[in-house]
Amino acid sequence: MSKIQMKTPLVEMDGDEMTRIIWKQVKDILILPYVDLKTEYYDLGLKNREATKDQITIDSAEATKKYGVAVKCATITPNAARMPEYNLTQMWKSPNGTIRAALDGTVFRAPILVKGVTPFIPTWTKPITIARHAYGDVYKNTEMVVEGGSKAELVVTKPDGTKETSLIHEFKGDGIIQGLHNLDSSISSFARACFNFGLDTKQDVWFSTKDTISKKYDHRFKDIFAEIYENEYKEKFEAAGITYFYTLIDDAVARVIRSNGGYIWACKNYDGDVMSDMVATAYGSLAMMTSVLVSPDGVYEYEAAHGTVQRHYYKYLKGEETSTNSVATLFAWTGALRKRGELDELPELMSFADKLEKAIIQTIENGTMTGDLYLISTLENKKKVNTTEFLEAVGETLKTLL
Ligand code: NAP
Ligand code: MG
């Protein structure tokens, strides 16, 4: 069988720990035998980020803008414990944060539903897609530790040189402050990305913030969404039979739990981070979630929503058997290959991505799964396999579909 040909390279961003091990196996076992894979490779592993002073992350984001489609492995965001572990000269920023800031996009995360894994919320019969704004707020903050007796003010120097000052707090004792920002342009593209995704997938769009408390900051998000909806999307939504619905974040949380799913929940950056982990876990596993960053100018970055699975990696290093779920990493690859196929008009590549996804689901529904799913699957004849065995089993299923 001849291999499927590609035209434009994918931007490939390698990562860290267990997901880096999985990354190579996914390619070796499930992609390279079938696809004449063209990628431009960027090693975002922490070792190389240190060696390049994080330039590699910036380069990979620029390459993504150039080629339009990237696939990213999970990466370590360094904390204090990583400094001695990797001999770091700096606590490098989160690569995801850097890439998201460069692409200014919205991250869409949807659960991958399989038979045998029932959501913890029994009414959730349809997927809930989280649309996470990927720019600003606490991810681009400025923080200070403040000594008692200090006065903290917010100062803005305007284009004409005049200053607007607002008191934050007069500190009697020691404390902390934080400065956040966002941009009308970024919030507008977030709104359009959500409304477009709603129209594409024929799902209602919900949006929630805390505008009753944050009367200027969060309120701005609410107003921009409302204005763009009224002016650009209302008629299209009505024609498609879908709705846009705004509510407070706490009310949204309560409604989501009581819902049946089947809508897009647009969340500010931090809310989206937290809520996507909650939603993914409630649907079964963090590893059963797709995640794609869509930029306003049509650039796509596919990734897994979970981290580098450090605990499993340390077992792997000790030579112990691991049973790490590779589904989210696999779906990052299938999403990227399908999008590349769509943009380059390569139906064979798109169909390969569809079949690989089908093979993954079928393998799990036929009872072969990793430990995380084995614990929660209600299938009777289920079998727990290790990291590599799972990929090999998917490979066997894939052969029957090709
Ligand atoms: P994590 O890698 O998501 O893993 C947390 C726990 O969730 C694991 O210990 C495991 O539970 C379970 N888990 C996650 N993914 C799994 C999978 N594919 N298969 C099976 N179980 C899975 O989070 P973490 O351990 O807190 O973070 C590790 C590193 O990842 C950190 O350095 C962090 O900075 C980084 N991180 C990166 C990204 C990203 O690049 N997108 C996102 C989040 C975190 P059990 O141990 O109970 O089996
Ligand atoms: Mg997170």
Side-chain angles (χ1 to χ4, degrees):
M1 199 181 76
S2 65
K3 289 191 190 182
I4 299 165
Q5 296 297 311
M6 291 178 66
K7 282 185 194 155
T8 318
L10 275 179
V11 176
E12 176 183 354
M13 303 169 175
D14 208 343
D16 289 298
E17 300 195 310
M18 201 58 209
T19 41
R20 189 180 178 98
I21 307 295
I22 289 175
W23 194 259
K24 182 167 184 323
Q25 293 191 358
V26 163
K27 281 167 60 182
D28 287 346
I29 300 171
L30 293 169
I31 298 174
L32 293 173
Y34 308 101
V35 180
D36 194 4
L37 187 66
K38 267 199 189 138
T39 73
E40 196 165 292
Y41 180 83
Y42 292 84
D43 182 1
L44 301 195
L46 187 49
K47 230 170 122 184
N48 196 42
R49 275 182 277 150
E50 169 65 31
T52 62
K53 303 282 170 238
D54 208 26
Q55 185 60 38
I56 190 76
T57 309
I58 295 159
D59 293 347
S60 73
E62 287 309 314
T64 305
K65 285 188 199 166
K66 178 174 163 195
Y67 292 114
V69 186
V71 55
K72 180 181 172 294
C73 180
T75 45
I76 293 170
T77 300
N79 56 12
R82 301 294 194 170
M83 298 296 285
E85 185 183 355
Y86 284 85
N87 242 323
L88 301 181
T89 54
Q90 257 192 60
M91 213 184 274
W92 304 108
K93 284 188 177 168
S94 150
N96 292 317
T98 304
I99 294 163
R100 284 170 200 157
L103 301 182
D104 179 17
T106 302
V107 179
F108 292 93
R109 288 185 173 165
I112 301 158
L113 306 186
V114 289
K115 273 191 223 98
V117 177
T118 38
F120 285 100
I121 314 285
T123 50
W124 286 3
T125 50
K126 288 174 272 182
I128 296 170
T129 301
I130 300 265
R132 172 182 173 189
H133 186 209
Y135 179 84
D137 302 350
V138 72
Y139 299 86
K140 262 214 173 282
N141 67 355
T142 308
E143 309 183 310
M144 271 188 227
V145 175
V146 179
E147 196 184 316
S150 310
K151 177 165 126 183
E153 291 173 307
L154 202 56
V155 182
V156 174
T157 310
K158 298 188 183 177
D160 66 4
T162 59
K163 291 186 195 302
E164 187 178 332
T165 306
S166 171
L167 177 72
I168 297 174
H169 193 66
E170 301 219 26
F171 285 84
K172 291 201 177 71
D174 295 351
I176 40 182
I177 57 168
Q178 184 179 54
L180 308 182
H181 82 276
N182 223 301
L183 304 170
D184 286 3
S185 60
S186 179
I187 301 167
S188 302
S189 46
F190 171 40
R192 291 194 179 94
C194 295
F195 293 139
N196 286 336
F197 205 78
L199 285 170
D200 279 355
T201 58
K202 295 261 177 301
Q203 294 185 92
D204 293 345
V205 174
W206 296 17
F207 182 44
S208 54
T209 72
K210 194 69 180 172
D211 66 285
T212 46
I213 300 299
S214 173
K215 291 191 195 320
K216 291 201 174 125
Y217 197 104
D218 278 20
H219 213 284
R220 189 83 174 169
F221 278 82
K222 178 184 176 182
D223 287 347
I224 288 175
F225 264 71
E227 198 184 305
I228 289 179
Y229 178 70
E230 285 299 322
N231 295 338
E232 300 171 29
Y233 290 93
K234 194 168 192 255
E235 283 170 21
K236 291 180 202 158
F237 266 51
E238 282 168 3
I242 56 176
T243 54
Y244 169 59
F245 168 63
Y246 176 86
T247 188
L248 282 170
I249 178 84
D250 36 358
D251 179 51
V253 168
R255 285 172 188 264
V256 163
I257 295 297
R258 294 193 304 260
S259 78
N260 299 127
Y263 49 87
I264 297 157
W265 182 11
C267 291
K268 287 178 64 202
N269 209 345
Y270 173 82
D271 297 341
D273 184 3
V274 178
M275 291 306 158
S276 67
D277 275 22
M278 183 196 73
V279 167
T281 305
Y283 275 105
S285 164
L286 271 182
M288 298 298 283
M289 187 95 169
T290 62
S291 181
V292 57
L293 172 69
V294 184
S295 90
D297 29 73
V299 166
Y300 295 79
E301 184 235 327
Y302 293 84
E303 57 168 15
H306 58 76
T308 59
V309 212
Q310 180 182 19
R311 210 178 64 82
H312 295 206
Y313 181 60
Y314 288 170
K315 278 174 71 178
Y316 169 87
L317 288 181
K318 280 193 273 178
E320 290 171 29
E321 185 166 75
T322 60
S323 183
T324 315
N325 189 333
S326 50
V327 172
T329 301
L330 282 163
F331 270 71
W333 275 98
T334 54
L337 289 171
R338 185 188 299 106
K339 182 54 78 179
R340 197 65 272 171
E342 196 183 305
L343 296 176
D344 290 349
E345 292 174 26
L346 299 170
E348 253 196 309
L349 191 60
M350 293 166 70
S351 142
F352 173 75
D354 291 344
K355 283 175 185 156
L356 180 48
E357 284 180 5
K358 205 168 161 195
I360 298 160
I361 306 279
Q362 251 183 40
T363 303
I364 299 169
E365 293 188 340
N366 287 339
T368 302
M369 61 195 81
T370 46
D372 56 327
L373 296 183
Y374 182 82
L375 282 176
I376 54 176
S377 172
T378 54
L379 293 184
E380 270 172 20
N381 52 348
K382 58 182 176 181
K383 185 171 97 186
K384 177 181 161 178
V385 292
N386 68 34
T387 310
T388 313
E389 284 165 351
F390 178 73
L391 291 168
E392 284 166 348
V394 172
E396 289 309 311
T397 316
L398 180 62
K399 279 179 199 154
T400 67
L401 298 175
L402 286 173

